[in-house]
Structures are given as C-alpha cells and as structure tokens.
Amino acid sequence: METVLSGIRPTGNLHLGNYFGALSNFVEMQNEHNCYFFIADYHSLTTHPTPKDLHGNVRQVLVEYLAAGLDPEKSTLYVQSDVPEVNELYLFLNMNAYIGELERCTSFKDKIRQQPQNVNAGLMTYPTLMAADILIHRATKVPVGKDQEQHLELTRQFSNRFNRMYSVDYFPEPQAFNFGKELVKIPGLNGSGKMGKSEGEGNAIFLADEPEVIRKKVMKAVTDSGPTQHNQEKPEVIQNIFQLMKVVSTPDTYNYFDERYNSCSIRYGDMKKQLAEDMIVFTEPMRERIKAISADEVYIANAARIGREKARESASKTIREVREIIGFRNF
Ligand code: TYM
C-alpha cells in the first residue's frame, strides 16, 4: 500500500485541468491506498487574499473535493492550516534548501514575471513548503499535473539531503504520479496552452459551470481555418481541442472527428458542439453534488473535523521523529 498525497491551492473553483491532473480515478484509489488530499491555503497567501476570499475559497475547494467523490472516511481530506506541524517541517527543510536552487525554479521565475511588485520570500520558498506537505506524511506518490514535476524533483532532493545529513533512511523519494498514466497538461480553450484559473477569460471549464456556460465557452474556443491537406499535422490550438475531447468523450467520438480532420471534412462547429455536450455529461453529477453539499454546513464541518484529526495524528508522529533525528531533546 502506497501513501498518496495531493494538494490544490484554493484560488477559485476547480477546473477540468485540476481534475485530470490531480484527481481522476482517485475514487478507486482511495479504496486501495492510504490517501491524503488537502487544500493548500498557506500556499495561497503568496498572493495576499482578503480574509473573506481566503475562507470562501477554502470552503469551495472542500465542497468540490467532496462532490468529486472523495470519501472523508476512507481518505484523509484536510485543510493545510489545520495542521500546524507542517510549518515546523517547512522551517527544518528551509535550513537545508539553497537560495540558488530555489531561484532557478521555473515556477518562481514565472511568478517574478507575473507579479513583479510582490516577489516575497514565501514565493521563493514555495517548493520547501510543498516538500513539507508531502514529507509530513512520508508520501510516496503525488498525483499532480505536468506543471508540478519540478517541485517533485526538489522534494526528492530535500528528502535525500535530510537523510544524508543525519545518516538516516527516514524520508522516502516521492514520485509525481497520475493514477497510473502519464502526467498531463490539460489545455485551455483560448489558445493559451494550459487550462488555468489565471489564464484569461473563458479559458477554463469549471466543475461547477452550468451547461449554458460550458456551451458558450466551448463554442468560443480558438480554432483555425481548417486542414487543407489530408493527414496534415494539427497545429497547437487544434491539438488542444482534440486533447480535451480525448479526456471527456468516448474513443469512438474522438476517432470520428480525427478521421474527419485527416480527410479535410471536419466542421469545427460540430466538433465543439459535441465536446461541450460531453463536458456537460461528464461534469453533471459533480455539479449536482456541489449544490447539495454546499448547502450542508454540518456535513462540511464534520468532513473538515475528521480530516484534521487524522492528518494531525500522522503529522505529529513525523514531527516527533524528525525532532529526535535532528537532536532536539527534552531536559
Ligand atoms: P494548483 O492549485 O495550481 O493545481 C492543483 C493541481 O491541479 C493540477 N493542474 C493541472 N493539471 C493538468 N493540466 C492543467 N491544465 C492543470 N492545472 C492545474 C496541478 O498540477 C496540481 O496537481 N503547488 C500546488 C499545490 C500543492 C501541492 C502540494 C500539490 C501544494 N502542496 C503538495 C501536491 C503536493 C499547486 O499550486 O497546484
């Protein structure tokens, strides 16, 4: 049995990229493995949310995790800030993380470009906090999208460095993982490459989107003027639409439009109509459950309490052992 851990920053509603990058098949996964799913609210502080936004976003992600099928009895579903032990491990790991390697991190460089007015120390040490999240439960498998691969590489470095420094074999080497398949990058709809919350209007399909909204967004997706030669290579914007179809539609549907593309008889309008309907069918059960769970304060509070208790039990054991290894002793 593996220890699996996955996290999502609460900065808005979950989209299909989050789902296929970090969650798909997790319903079966939680029956076989020791699973931790958490809401990375400390991480979201790097962009300085208001208290109201912070709380609302944490609640929304909690609801959407539950709506997607996570069972709080089988998995450990918790809010990062409910487990203060993670801060202590973050501090220990920071003593052993070098400025150079943190500065070289692609996500840090991206942030410097995106928010030059707010390049704070939390942004630079984002990978050590992420390593602390993973190592606090000594997780071995970390379901993530392709964008998090480098963070996992750093986690392994910090883990190995700790083990070497104290001559122990305590922390594992966690691997990025996508429930048995390759890591994915789900594209967005506006030609910007990645589906994401901050990639512009209409780019992301949210699990909570109403059918009309999904139809509108998909029909506006960027395409080109169509193929002119048989079997020609698809440009990126077209590959994006096909990739989205691959994850939500049946293989037959995908093959039908692929064949149409290859024979230059495709009509993008028809393809988008089909894609929108398949996205609606895919998200429908979650959309209904989001509404039901969101109205049930008692269920939400209970889920958060059960998760907090289980997560703290595991985290405090790790911290006790790490303190012992480092040499903190009682008098
Ligand atoms: P975040 O909140 O940006 O995204 C949450 C998860 O969704 C995946 N994801 C995608 N996967 C495929 N295609 C996309 N278009 C797409 N967009 C998002 C992300 O790869 C991620 O798996 N740093 C993390 C949160 C975090 C974490 C952790 C994750 C904090 N500590 C420990 C795992 C383990 C983040 O910002 O993800």
Side-chain angles (χ1 to χ4, degrees), residues 144-173:
V144 282
K146 207 153 177 49
D147 60 321
Q148 300 294 321
E149 215 167 16
Q150 196 180 24
H151 288 152
L152 263 292
E153 182 58 40
L154 274 169
T155 301
R156 285 191 288 277
Q157 263 183 52
F158 298 148
S159 163
N160 284 328
R161 208 174 277 161
F162 180 93
N163 288 346
R164 266 200 313 280
M165 185 159 195
Y166 296 105
S167 305
V168 290
D169 186 15
Y170 185 69
F171 285 127
E173 272 202 338

Side-chain angles (χ1 to χ4, degrees), residues 5-11 14-23 38-41 43 65 80 126 129-134 142-149 151-152 155 183-188 193-197 199 203 243:
L5 173 132
S6 181
I8 296 183
R9 245 173 333 135
T11 49
L14 299 194
H15 52 71
L16 288 176
N18 298 133
Y19 187 85
F20 289 105
L23 292 180
F38 79 100
I39 300 159
D41 56 347
H43 278 99
Y65 261 130
Q80 187 183 30
Y126 190 105
L129 181 54
M130 192 160 152
D133 293 327
I134 298 167
V142 187
V144 282
K146 207 153 177 49
D147 60 321
Q148 300 294 321
E149 215 167 16
H151 288 152
L152 263 292
T155 301
L183 296 194
V184 292
K185 181 176 100 176
I186 300 296
K194 178 185 151 183
M195 185 174 287
K197 289 163 274 217
E199 307 291 322
N203 173 56
Q243 205 194 330

